Amino acid sequence: MGVSTRTPLIAGNWKMNLDHLQAVAFVQKLHWALKDAKHEFEAVDVTVFPPYTDLRSVQTLIDADKIPFGLGAQDLSTHDSGAYTGEISGAFLKRLDVGSVIIGHSERRDYHQETDEVVAAKVQAALRHELVPVICVGETAEDLEKHGASAVPVGQLEIALEGVPAKADIVVAYEPVWAIGSGQAATPEQAQEVCAKLREVVKAKLGEDAAARTRILYGGSVKAANIASFMRQPDVDGALVGGASLIVDEFAAIVRFQKHVGV
Ligand code: PEP
């Protein structure tokens, strides 16, 4: 066992938290906290996923202050334009210098009835606009009991990758639904086992090169105290962080996991 050789990605999903003024203050504080700690920015990619209404303000800040954070969106429409009230096109996100977009988060699957087919259409929409889809998959507590940990996420990823070209830049996030926001993270062993199986799916669908370069994240109650145990796993290349991404010092400590990974 050893840490992955891919550049780690620590992604902060803010969900419906922080308005645009709070978002700007947060990003500035996070940047200062990491600079004060002499963090090596090139060693770990950091991406924040604010609400849509914050994107322009955060993009302007990171551009003006040359803050080395990626900017992501939390969702996008399957359509590119037209009569789809309330929807946001990937084309608009791209114009805002958004680089990636979360797709298929369990809260979208659950509260907005997003099926695997909708998720697959959103992956295609992201790729049409050169946005990196961060494809979320994961099992519920019931799935875990009935089918084990990997069957559902593997099936979800197989559908999401239908028609995706081998050269596509994608990120996969394994997020057990029961671990999200519950304070009860998966064990690092379970995260490793499922992430390894998801890498097999990437290999079967997109080929060996894609499997070797694609980053697979773990998400679900990640915090500073447990990030190291996940990052020690060879198939875990980073984390998708919800609650803890809203606390500057906690998120900075997660980004700085290399200081406490202990390998
Ligand atoms: C998430 O919502 O993607 C998530 C992982 O949340 P939390 O870190 O709060 O469990």
Side-chain angles (χ1 to χ4, degrees):
M1 279 258 168
V3 288
S4 134
T5 51
R6 292 163 284 271
T7 303
L9 170 61
I10 303 295
N13 174 15
W14 295 358
K15 312 192 184 189
M16 198 172 68
N17 293 293
L18 306 182
D19 65 30
H20 70 289
L21 299 174
Q22 294 167 320
V24 164
F26 183 92
V27 169
Q28 278 172 325
K29 282 187 200 151
L30 179 63
H31 187 216
W32 291 332
L34 290 168
K35 274 202 332 197
D36 281 353
K38 305 212 177 339
H39 176 64
E40 289 165 42
F41 286 94
E42 51 304 320
V44 179
D45 289 340
V46 177
T47 298
V48 292
F49 293 80
Y52 289 131
T53 51
D54 300 359
L55 288 173
R56 178 68 170 142
S57 307
V58 173
Q59 181 263 328
T60 304
L61 170 71
I62 60 185
D63 198 34
D65 288 8
K66 300 193 172 29
I67 297 176
F69 296 167
L71 180 62
Q74 295 176 17
D75 188 28
L76 89 173
S77 176
T78 56
H79 305 284
D80 296 341
S81 66
Y84 302 103
T85 302
E87 294 277 282
I88 300 290
S89 164
F92 306 162
L93 297 175
K94 190 67 188 174
R95 289 277 283 172
L96 280 176
D97 287 342
V98 166
S100 53
V101 57
I102 296 173
I103 295 177
H105 190 280
S106 67
E107 287 153 16
R108 301 287 319 171
R109 291 179 188 262
D110 189 12
Y111 307 147
H112 300 272
Q113 293 78 47
E114 286 191 9
T115 60
D116 289 337
E117 288 67 31
V118 169
V119 170
K122 290 189 172 191
V123 170
Q124 293 298 326
L127 295 176
R128 275 200 301 282
H129 299 289
E130 294 174 359
L131 298 163
V132 176
V134 179
I135 305 166
C136 298
V137 295
E139 82 287 358
T140 62
E142 205 186 333
D143 296 330
L144 180 65
E145 209 173 286
K146 274 200 199 142
H147 313 289
S150 61
V152 167
V154 160
Q156 289 172 333
L157 187 61
E158 283 171 344
I159 297 172
L161 293 184
E162 272 315 310
V164 170
K167 62 172 182 11
D169 195 4
I170 62 164
V171 170
V172 177
Y174 167 50
E175 296 211 300
V177 180
W178 50 269
I180 295 178
S182 67
Q184 158 128 53
T187 62
E189 292 73 24
Q190 178 175 327
Q192 166 56 27
E193 183 192 320
V194 180
C195 289
K197 292 207 168 120
L198 295 173
R199 199 173 298 288
E200 286 299 313
V201 174
V202 177
K203 187 172 166 189
K205 293 269 175 196
L206 308 186
E208 207 150 327
D209 285 359
R213 73 166 185 273
T214 295
R215 291 183 289 190
I216 303 185
L217 316 181
Y218 166 76
S221 297
V222 168
K223 39 190 192 253
N226 63 18
I227 182 69
S229 63
F230 293 108
M231 296 309 296
R232 278 188 209 109
Q233 310 305 316
D235 285 293
V236 178
D237 306 313
L240 182 53
V241 186
S245 75
L246 297 166
I247 306 163
V248 170
D249 290 341
E250 184 75 9
F251 193 58
I254 292 171
V255 170
R256 285 172 43 71
F257 74 89
Q258 285 166 331
K259 297 289 163 211
H260 47 108
V261 77
V263 289

